[in-house]
Amino acid sequence: VRYFWRFAFLGSVFTSPAAWIYTLVFALHSTGQLGGLRLESLLPPALWLIIWSAGGLAVLLAFINSWDMSLCRRLEAPSDPLCNGSSKSFLCLLETSTECEFIILALYSYTLAAFGSFLASILGYFGLRLEQKRLLERWKKYTADGSTRRMNDED
């Protein structure tokens, strides 16, 4: 149980940057303020988010891959009051096994969230590229017409 905060920290560090960046992108797009200049400035961080999310996913998968339940039980036993110095009792085994199962469940949950963040980062990046392409096409259309009116989303 004493390790939960570390896994929670890792889980949030690997998933929150993508959530913050794409919340900003959504807010800018919803208010019509996501122009070409902002798109150009958001593409490099979006690309780094893919790398960051992939790295976080790899770290969490490495934790899961190297997980050893017996080692976890041995490390948890000294801190559990039911063990009382002896890790041979049934209640001690039950308590430490339950705690270790919760830890691995948390690790699986954070890994799933990191995988979702990785997929969202990829989709977000390609969405930004698509929006950039659409904006450039609209700009070319308006400059070819010689029109000086403001481009709207309704056009």
Side-chain angles (χ1 to χ4, degrees):
V1 174
R2 64 181 181 256
Y3 303 110
F4 277 163
W5 70 270
R6 293 176 186 157
F7 293 130
F9 177 73
L10 282 178
S12 63
V13 162
F14 294 137
T15 57
S16 349
W20 285 107
I21 293 292
Y22 288 114
T23 300
L24 173 68
V25 168
F26 176 75
L28 289 172
H29 189 271
S30 296
T31 58
Q33 297 179 11
L34 189 63
L37 204 55
R38 286 206 173 120
L39 271 171
E40 288 293 325
S41 65
L42 285 171
L43 282 173
L47 189 58
W48 279 106
L49 281 176
I50 294 172
I51 297 167
W52 179 260
S53 297
L57 182 60
V59 166
L60 290 170
L61 285 172
F63 274 135
I64 288 174
N65 191 33
S66 65
W67 186 258
D68 183 14
M69 187 62 87
S70 61
L71 177 64
C72 178
R73 285 195 305 262
R74 283 194 308 269
L75 290 174
E76 285 293 323
S79 66
D80 285 334
L82 289 177
C83 292
N84 293 330
S86 171
S87 60
K88 301 292 183 200
S89 72
F90 175 73
L91 288 177
C92 177
L93 177 68
L94 184 66
E95 168 123 11
T96 55
S97 295
T98 303
E99 287 178 356
C100 291
E101 289 293 335
F102 275 121
I103 291 172
I104 194 70
L105 181 66
L107 268 175
Y108 279 123
S109 300
Y110 295 134
T111 304
L112 182 63
F115 180 69
S117 176
F118 175 65
L119 288 180
S121 297
I122 291 171
L123 289 174
Y125 177 76
F126 286 114
L128 285 173
R129 297 289 296 190
L130 186 65
E131 181 67 18
Q132 182 185 36
K133 183 179 176 183
R134 189 177 71 88
L135 188 65
L136 286 173
E137 288 172 359
R138 286 177 50 209
W139 180 257
K140 287 177 186 177
K141 183 178 92 172
Y142 281 110
T143 55
D145 292 344
S147 175
T148 57
R149 66 187 177 112
R150 184 178 181 272
M151 289 192 304
N152 295 330
D153 282 333
E154 295 88 28
D155 292 335

